Amino acid sequence: MADDAHPSFAVATIKPHDPDERDRGIWVQGDHFDFSSASVEKLLKFAYSINGELVIGGPDWLREAKYDINGRPDAEGEPTLPQQQEMIQKLLADRFQLKFHRETRELPVYAIRIAKGGPKLAPAADPARKPIEQTDHPGSATEHAYSSAPISYFILVEQLFRDRPLVDQTSLTGKYDFKLRYDADELNNADPSASPGFFTAVQEQLGLKLDAVKAPVEVFVIDHVEKPSEN
């Protein structure tokens, strides 16, 4: 999709999720969006790259009600991640009548800092290229491959999977090519050759570390939201 495109959904079908169906999460393949069992909170996390702890207030169903969403953009080509997020932001405003404001609050976070020995990040082979992240699941491990990615893009992706918000305190300003491989369930994996957990992998493979601290962060305070309009 063109870099300057600002896509919306040409058509989006939203229906309550059938709890008897298998949950599939969020899938974007080409120009096809297929979200299964997605709550408004989950859509917010995807649309704004925020941790769930940063969503404040709203009715209980914002987190509990699940929806299946299918649609395609109104512009040609495959949307980038920021364009995908823009589409979901517009969908939330249009179909869920979502309104919120932002505040700064001090909350528990993971501060990303440079570990002893320095960062292990290769400068991007093509820094003019758009940031790209590809996820694979070899065995029990999860592997993220980043290309031309600044630290902010790494946070954009990893923020969705952590129990606290991530805050960049590295002062790194470049774009990098790197891989991160970890076992999301390391405590239940008895295989001695298994990949390390996320925190260990970040330090060993990237030369960074995550420290649990309190820091001021921007939160999203829900002012208004409605159950989705008819298709």
Side-chain angles (χ1 to χ4, degrees):
M1 187 173 290
D3 291 348
D4 59 354
H6 294 280
S8 302
F9 279 100
V11 177
T13 301
I14 304 175
K15 63 180 182 180
H17 176 71
D18 182 347
D20 292 331
E21 290 185 2
R22 180 174 64 91
D23 292 350
R24 291 181 294 160
I26 293 177
W27 296 89
V28 182
Q29 296 182 333
D31 66 348
H32 183 214
F33 285 67
D34 184 6
F35 293 6
S36 177
S37 190
S39 65
V40 172
E41 182 188 59
K42 190 171 186 177
L43 293 173
L44 261 168
K45 289 167 61 178
F46 179 85
Y48 293 95
S49 299
I50 58 172
N51 184 275
E53 296 298 313
L54 301 181
V55 180
I56 308 297
D60 290 344
W61 67 262
L62 180 115
R63 297 166 179 82
E64 296 170 356
K66 305 294 193 302
Y67 299 94
D68 294 341
I69 302 172
N70 286 275
R72 283 186 164 84
D74 60 2
E76 292 186 3
E78 181 176 350
T80 62
L81 179 55
Q83 288 170 331
Q84 295 169 19
Q85 292 178 298
E86 183 176 350
M87 291 174 64
I88 299 301
Q89 291 171 18
K90 293 175 179 177
L91 181 81
L92 286 167
D94 179 43
R95 300 290 294 276
F96 292 86
Q97 299 299 304
L98 176 69
K99 295 180 176 64
F100 62 86
H101 69 275
R102 307 184 195 212
E103 297 178 1
T104 298
R105 301 186 183 183
E106 188 169 272
L107 296 176
V109 303
Y110 291 123
I112 303 180
R113 297 167 174 167
I114 296 176
K116 185 177 180 180
K120 303 175 182 178
L121 302 170
D126 183 4
R129 184 184 184 188
K130 298 177 186 177
I132 295 175
E133 181 275 333
Q134 295 179 309
T135 301
D136 192 15
H137 297 281
S140 64
T142 296
E143 183 174 279
H144 298 289
Y146 291 87
S147 300
S148 298
I151 296 299
S152 60
Y153 195 82
F154 171 70
I155 289 177
L156 183 152
V157 175
E158 296 295 342
Q159 182 101 272
L160 303 175
F161 307 103
R162 306 301 135 216
D163 61 338
R164 294 185 179 194
L166 304 181
V167 176
D168 181 15
Q169 295 185 0
T170 66
S171 298
L172 295 171
T173 59
K175 297 178 75 174
Y176 307 96
D177 296 338
F178 59 93
K179 290 184 179 181
L180 180 67
R181 181 173 177 141
Y182 60 89
D183 190 332
D185 192 25
E186 62 172 331
L187 295 179
N188 295 316
N189 193 337
D191 183 354
S193 64
S195 299
F198 176 75
F199 294 89
T200 302
V202 167
Q203 186 155 344
E204 291 180 349
Q205 299 168 27
L206 306 185
L208 306 176
K209 62 178 181 176
L210 284 82
D211 293 332
V213 298
K214 277 194 172 184
V217 290
E218 188 175 72
V219 299
F220 287 55
V221 182
I222 305 300
D223 297 317
H224 180 81
V225 66
E226 299 176 9
K227 292 191 174 181
S229 55
E230 295 292 329
N231 295 311

